[in-house]
């Protein structure tokens, strides 16, 4: 793991830190890529983290989510000590069986779903996967199918 100290900055409502070039170079080498999201793991002020490096507005950023910020006991403008490395673990969220069943039942919705960018597919899968009650799952699977069929909006989206 590579250690560095960074100041927590903010863009919009999202706290983040920029990584030094030397750290990025090591992570790119470990990941064997320097494009697209790069999964990383490590610690922030000694607390374990699992996160994704993303390039936004010309800079590689490590976004500091709410639990990370809380664990570090820091705020925007404070310095944090990070240890970071590429995380080779596969990160996948299983598709909820009710979503799979609904997509298999509605071929048009399934075609549209499969034509979406992977990031949008993951967004839908993650949304359904984190619902807590079966009533919520049923209601939102129906909303997904209606959305993919072009009949309604879903999670603030006008078009698939």
């Amino acid at each position: 793991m590579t250690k560095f100290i960074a100041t927590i900055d903010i863009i919009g409502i999202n706290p983040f830190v920029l990584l030094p070039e030397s750290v990025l170079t090591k992570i790119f080498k470990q990941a064997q890529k320097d494009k697209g999201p790069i999964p990383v793991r490590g610690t922030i002020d000694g607390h374990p983290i699992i996160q994704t490096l993303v390039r936004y507005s010309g800079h590689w950023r490590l976004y500091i989510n709410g639990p990370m910020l809380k664990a570090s006991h820091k705020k925007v403008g404070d310095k944090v000590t990070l240890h970071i490395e590429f995380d080779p673990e596969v990160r996948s969220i299983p598709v909820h069986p009710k979503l799979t069943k609904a997509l298999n039942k509605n071929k048009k919705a399934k075609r549209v779903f499969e034509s979406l960018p992977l990031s949008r597919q993951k967004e839908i899968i993650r949304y359904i996967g984190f619902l807590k009650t079966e009533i919520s799952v049923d209601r939102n699977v129906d909303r997904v199918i209606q959305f993919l069929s072009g009949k309604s909006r879903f999670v603030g989206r006008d078009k698939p």
Side-chain angles (χ1 to χ4, degrees), residues 16-156:
F16 70 93
V17 297
L18 294 175
L19 284 75
E21 284 298 321
S22 60
V23 174
L24 285 171
T25 300
K26 288 179 184 176
I27 291 173
F28 295 158
K29 187 174 181 178
Q30 292 170 348
Q32 299 179 355
K33 70 177 192 171
D34 63 0
K35 291 183 173 42
I38 299 177
V40 294
R41 63 183 173 205
T43 64
I44 181 168
D45 281 352
H47 301 280
I49 62 168
I50 295 176
Q51 192 56 290
T52 304
L53 283 180
V54 293
R55 187 171 174 92
Y56 177 74
S57 200
H59 300 283
W60 283 93
R61 301 170 194 266
L62 176 69
Y63 286 95
I64 309 295
N65 62 31
M68 291 166 63
L69 205 56
K70 186 175 179 181
S72 72
H73 301 289
K74 302 289 174 73
K75 61 187 181 317
V76 174
D78 291 345
K79 290 192 181 298
V80 288
T81 301
L82 294 122
H83 289 85
I84 196 167
E85 68 183 354
F86 170 66
D87 184 2
E89 294 295 317
V90 175
R91 297 181 186 175
S92 63
I93 300 169
V95 180
H96 195 287
K98 288 185 176 184
L99 179 57
T100 299
K101 184 177 179 181
L103 288 170
N104 287 335
K105 239 172 123 173
N106 186 317
K107 301 300 179 199
K108 178 183 179 189
K110 185 174 184 174
R111 270 193 314 278
V112 172
F113 180 79
E114 290 173 346
S115 72
L116 294 174
L118 285 177
S119 60
R120 180 68 58 84
Q121 290 179 27
K122 285 181 187 178
E123 179 183 345
I124 291 170
I125 291 167
R126 188 177 301 119
Y127 182 83
I128 298 297
F130 287 129
L131 294 172
K132 298 195 185 328
T133 68
E134 289 303 310
I135 292 169
S136 294
V137 170
D138 292 341
R139 181 178 58 243
N140 284 284
V141 164
D142 183 56
R143 286 180 180 162
V144 167
I145 297 303
Q146 295 299 312
F147 168 70
L148 295 171
S149 299
K151 297 177 183 173
S152 68
R153 296 179 67 193
F154 180 70
V155 194

